[in-house]
Amino acid sequence: MRRDTFLKSLLALTASAGLPLSAQAAASIKMMIPANPGGGWDGTGRAFGKAMLDAKVADNVQFDNKGGAAGVIGLAQFVNSAKGDPNALIVMGAVMLGGIITGKPQVSLDKATPIARLTSEYNVFVVPAASPIKTMKEVVDMLIKDPGSVKWGGGSRGTTEHICASMLATKVGVDPKKVNYVAFRGGGEATAAILGGNVTVGGGGYSEMAEYITAGKMRPIGVTSDKRLPGINVPTLKEMGYDVVLGNWRGLYGGPGITPEQRAALTELVIKATKSKSWTESLEKNAWTPALLTGKAFDDFVDAEFSNLRGIMHLAGMV
């Protein structure tokens, strides 16, 4: 190699070493999904991985599913394996906060690094298509008469659907501790139980149930939003006289111990991915509301959510 060519190559290599992650070669992202395949976290994680590829901020994305305990099992594995890794991400959200509050695990979110809130959505309660139940009032009547006769199916203990079932019990004068909640390790398992008629009522994010509702395999009987969801003709619990309103949101955390510079670079990659065509299509397809929040605003939001959920769960008799 000629000496001038060698020097130019050396200078270019030295210059690139000082660039932030987003300005160098695209990253190889490791995405922890703390739930079994088929649920809301799985759908969010895989959709966002595709968005990162579409935005060309990642060369490849590796997914690792580890379900159970409202995401806390996956969180513990992530914290132990991703320390100092600037390319590691874990999907999290309101459900994980609920699991932490009820389970009081040794490993909490403060061990990982906040990156971004991505989406917001509301839960829907459904019954199998073959169920004789047509309305939420019928469920409430059963609940009041015999709380144990209503089997509520959903994700792990402490999920938003679990909280909403307990809130509903409280609103109609039933001891929330008598709610017969059947927890599953992820949305996929819960969906199978609902379709199989193994629970009386199922709950989860609308995006998790949408295809089964559209196909006529599930009947929606109520959503937990303040007002009816746009384009979705399902009554809210509130309009039926049950003051139960609770939203779900999902976001991303990075590995423990990454530097402020690495956090900033990872946040930049995430922001770019949210602007991709792929992510826009995923938002529309799943009826997710875009809710991007980063930096200190996201830190403060999570702190406030912990406080808010503790209050709700205390009133619902869950903690």
Side-chain angles (χ1 to χ4, degrees):
M1 181 184 291
R2 289 174 49 186
R3 184 173 181 275
D4 59 341
T5 302
F6 172 76
L7 289 174
K8 289 179 181 178
S9 300
L10 183 61
L11 285 170
L13 182 62
T14 303
S16 67
L19 294 174
L21 181 64
S22 58
Q24 298 180 34
S28 177
I29 298 294
K30 286 172 277 188
M31 181 87 71
M32 165 62 75
I33 300 174
N36 288 352
W41 277 344
D42 187 60
T44 301
R46 293 180 187 276
F48 199 76
K50 183 180 178 183
M52 296 186 87
L53 296 174
D54 185 45
K56 295 181 171 52
V57 297
D59 279 332
N60 63 81
V61 180
Q62 302 170 20
F63 300 100
D64 184 11
N65 287 81
K66 180 65 67 172
V72 174
I73 293 175
L75 174 64
Q77 180 174 308
F78 179 77
V79 166
N80 290 329
S81 65
K83 187 174 182 180
D85 187 344
N87 295 330
L89 288 169
I90 182 171
V91 183
M92 50 73 67
V95 168
M96 183 177 285
L97 271 59
I100 290 170
I101 292 167
T102 57
K104 300 179 177 63
Q106 292 184 340
V107 176
S108 191
L109 263 178
D110 58 3
K111 302 296 183 185
T113 305
I115 299 297
R117 184 184 67 187
L118 296 176
T119 63
S120 177
E121 76 171 329
Y122 289 95
N123 283 0
V124 61
F125 283 114
V126 298
V127 294
S131 172
I133 296 171
K134 299 292 191 290
T135 67
M136 181 60 79
K137 184 180 184 305
E138 294 174 66
V139 175
V140 170
D141 289 343
M142 293 170 61
L143 184 66
I144 293 172
K145 184 176 180 179
D146 179 8
S149 69
V150 182
K151 291 175 66 176
W152 302 82
S156 303
R157 176 176 166 78
T159 57
T160 48
E161 55 266 30
H162 185 191
I163 296 171
C164 287
S166 297
M167 289 173 68
L168 179 60
T170 303
K171 298 295 182 181
V172 298
V174 172
D175 183 352
K177 293 176 183 173
K178 292 183 179 180
V179 169
N180 184 9
Y181 185 79
V182 183
F184 295 92
R185 290 172 63 88
E189 290 183 14
T191 297
I194 298 164
L195 292 172
N198 298 318
V199 296
T200 311
V201 186
Y206 193 88
S207 63
E208 298 174 57
M209 311 296 182
E211 65 174 294
Y212 304 102
I213 292 171
T214 302
K217 295 180 179 180
M218 292 180 183
R219 182 183 306 117
I221 58 174
V223 292
T224 63
S225 53
D226 186 53
K227 298 178 181 179
R228 290 202 182 196
L229 300 176
I232 298 172
N233 188 29
V234 181
T236 68
L237 271 66
K238 186 174 182 179
E239 73 180 77
M240 289 184 273
Y242 313 118
D243 190 16
V244 177
V245 177
L246 186 67
N248 191 6
W249 57 270
R250 300 187 181 102
L252 297 168
Y253 264 51
I258 61 175
T259 67
E261 292 76 21
Q262 289 170 331
R263 176 186 177 181
L266 191 54
T267 301
E268 183 184 346
L269 300 191
V270 168
I271 292 172
K272 286 183 177 179
T274 63
K275 298 176 181 177
S276 69
K277 179 181 178 182
S278 172
W279 185 241
T280 299
E281 291 173 347
S282 292
L283 292 172
E284 294 175 355
K285 175 185 175 183
N286 294 290
W288 293 333
T289 301
L292 183 64
L293 196 65
T294 63
K296 186 178 184 301
F298 181 47
D299 299 353
D300 294 343
F301 169 79
V302 172
D303 288 343
E305 278 289 282
F306 261 121
S307 179
N308 184 44
L309 279 176
R310 281 193 188 95
I312 291 172
M313 294 168 81
H314 176 73
L315 291 174
M318 294 179 64
V319 291

